[in-house]
Amino acid sequence: MVGRAVLLLLACGAAVSTAAAPPPPPVYPDDLPRTLEGYDLGVVYSRYSFWIEGQKGAVIDAIIAEPANVAGYRPQFVAPVSFTTHADYGHVQSGDIRSYCRVADATQVDRSDCRFVFRTVTIPAAAIDRTGPLGLFMRESFDPAVVVASMKASGIAPDADLWRADGHQIFGALASPAKLLRDNARVETVDSRQCPAMQRALEAIEGQALPQRIDIPLIGEDGPVPPPRPHAAQRDDKLTFVADGGSMTVTSWRALEPLLGPVYAAADVCLRERPATGG
């Protein structure tokens, strides 16, 4: 239950996750052999849990790529705000804000009647949870003989560093968790009509500048090298806007926080208050 609590804290504690500790290793099943042909299956099993967690990213991004269904409204332009959150075990969350305008006819929309929808996609089910859907899948799908045969065929020796090996070479022959992951995905939305604070925070970005100094390493006088990211989940923000008549996209894991932080905070408050208000 400890591992499950860690992952649920990451996935559910806020609209936009920002920090979490890595999960503990899974408990190796008592009814499986500890070693096979020289391979330490306890280590392989731990690696398998991280591999399953790492498969969430592709499923999450496939869901976020599908615009929300807003009855009577049609999505407009690219998402001005989007983000992904990563941790030691992979890509754990994606989100965006898209604009939707009321449909006027087959080809036109009413630009005077538009709204913004904030979405987050997470998969809170955890492989570490032995009684949860992913934990049960992990136990049932793990086949020591198949895994060892895959490692031998890929030239992965018993003493190899499995954390550096390609997970697909080790586990690609096992059942795919993709459908189960999608079935356990959670999509949360906040509509600007029900969250005026989010709308105001988004409007506050309009007209602002990005005064960041451009510093290309090894050209001119280099500034200080940023420290490595801490041992926690990290969010990559993306802001797309029009500058001098052309589209510009800025991606950053830290510099956009002053602009986007108030938007995320407002959306998070609305998500938290929604059950009490029935929104």
Side-chain angles (χ1 to χ4, degrees):
M1 291 301 294
V2 174
R4 184 184 184 193
V6 168
L7 286 174
L8 289 180
L9 174 64
L10 169 66
C12 311
V16 184
S17 302
T18 55
V27 177
Y28 189 73
D30 293 333
D31 59 334
L32 292 181
R34 298 295 307 186
T35 62
L36 183 63
E37 298 189 42
Y39 292 90
D40 184 342
L41 295 179
V43 175
V44 177
Y45 198 69
S46 292
R47 178 72 172 84
Y48 188 38
S49 72
F50 274 68
W51 183 80
I52 290 176
E53 293 293 335
Q55 303 311 295
K56 290 181 176 180
V59 175
I60 288 171
D61 278 346
I63 297 173
I64 204 70
E66 303 165 0
N69 182 18
V70 183
Y73 287 74
R74 184 179 299 150
Q76 299 296 299
F77 308 112
V78 299
V81 176
S82 59
F83 62 87
T84 57
T85 305
H86 297 78
D88 295 311
Y89 30 85
H91 176 173
V92 298
Q93 183 187 52
S94 287
D96 64 15
I97 297 178
R98 289 177 183 255
S99 55
Y100 296 79
C101 295
R102 181 174 291 281
V103 175
D105 55 40
T107 60
Q108 302 295 320
V109 296
D110 181 357
R111 299 286 290 272
S112 68
D113 185 358
C114 299
R115 60 212 299 177
F116 291 91
V117 176
F118 176 98
R119 296 185 305 162
T120 62
V121 180
T122 56
I123 304 176
I128 192 70
D129 180 6
R130 288 184 292 172
T131 62
L134 278 189
L136 292 174
F137 170 86
M138 178 178 171
R139 171 63 186 87
E140 294 170 359
S141 62
F142 185 75
D143 187 324
V146 171
V147 169
V148 167
S150 295
M151 288 190 289
K152 292 175 65 176
S154 300
I156 301 174
D159 60 350
D161 184 352
L162 296 185
W163 298 100
R164 293 181 178 274
D166 183 352
H168 288 282
Q169 289 184 326
I170 304 174
F171 309 114
L174 299 179
S176 170
K179 183 180 184 304
L180 183 64
L181 290 172
R182 187 172 184 111
D183 290 345
N184 283 273
R186 188 177 68 184
V187 181
E188 294 188 289
T189 63
V190 176
D191 192 311
S192 59
R193 296 292 177 87
Q194 287 74 48
C195 191
M198 183 187 75
Q199 175 85 27
R200 291 192 296 269
L202 190 60
E203 290 173 349
I205 300 175
E206 181 79 1
Q208 294 199 40
L210 296 173
Q212 303 297 325
R213 173 180 177 268
I214 295 177
D215 182 5
I216 302 176
L218 304 180
I219 295 180
E221 182 178 352
D222 288 334
V225 178
R229 301 184 180 190
H231 190 78
Q234 295 295 329
R235 187 185 69 240
D236 290 313
D237 294 315
K238 181 182 293 184
L239 180 63
T240 299
F241 53 94
V242 175
D244 292 332
S247 178
M248 178 180 292
T249 298
V250 177
T251 302
S252 173
W253 72 278
R254 186 169 57 185
L256 291 174
E257 174 63 25
L259 293 175
L260 299 182
V263 179
Y264 297 150
D268 189 49
V269 169
C270 290
L271 276 175
R272 291 174 185 269
E273 291 180 346
R274 186 170 52 185
T277 60

